[in-house]
């Protein structure tokens, strides 16, 4: 799925002293909407291709605005205010 939307390297070409990656992905009109995502064909273990909608239910949910990484591991910042003497959850009863 990632390759269909962001591209997959098909080959590398030498142009003088520079190397150019040739990337292949779905045309823009096929990457515009979530409806199009449901029609994305996925190759199964037996080699056949089926639309994503037959394999999974795609839902839209709010995600993180950004992901902070510390030592290459995902981390997050809790924006709740912590009171002195409060437990990890920000309350004194946890």
């Amino acid at each position: 799925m990632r390759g269909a939307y962001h591209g997959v390297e098909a080959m590398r070409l030498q142009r003088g002293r520079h190397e150019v990656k040739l990337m292949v992905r779905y045309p823009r009109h096929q990457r515009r909407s979530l409806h199009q995502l449901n029609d994305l064909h996925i190759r199964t273990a037996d080699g056949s291709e089926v639309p994503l909608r037959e394999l999974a239910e795609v839902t839209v949910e709010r995600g993180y605005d950004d992901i902070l990484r510390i030592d290459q591991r995902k981390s997050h910042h809790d924006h709740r205010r912590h009171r002195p003497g409060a437990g990890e959850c920000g309350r004194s009863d946890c």
Side-chain angles (χ1 to χ4, degrees):
M1 287 179 39
R2 185 180 195 292
Y5 278 76
H6 297 288
V8 175
E9 184 179 326
M11 66 177 10
R12 291 178 186 232
L13 304 168
Q14 195 70 34
R15 297 194 66 171
R17 296 182 310 169
H18 302 283
E19 187 174 73
V20 179
K21 292 181 186 178
L22 177 63
M23 304 295 285
V24 179
R25 64 181 172 193
Y26 277 13
R28 179 166 291 171
H29 71 276
Q30 291 181 337
R31 296 182 279 128
R32 283 200 177 144
S33 72
L34 290 176
H35 177 72
Q36 301 278 338
L37 179 66
N38 282 319
D39 292 332
L40 178 69
H41 282 78
I42 306 295
R43 184 162 299 157
T44 62
D46 67 3
S48 62
E49 292 185 4
V50 284
L52 177 62
R53 69 177 173 277
E54 293 181 19
L55 301 173
E57 181 179 328
V58 178
T59 59
V60 178
E61 294 182 3
R62 185 176 176 102
Y64 293 108
D65 291 335
D66 59 358
I67 297 173
L68 172 66
R69 293 187 182 270
I70 299 173
D71 294 330
Q72 299 179 357
R73 298 179 72 193
K74 287 183 184 177
S75 178
H76 75 281
H77 179 74
D78 189 350
H79 295 282
R80 294 178 294 182
R81 291 181 179 236
H82 292 281
R83 295 189 321 263
E88 283 187 43
C89 69
R91 300 187 321 259
S92 59
D93 63 340
C94 58

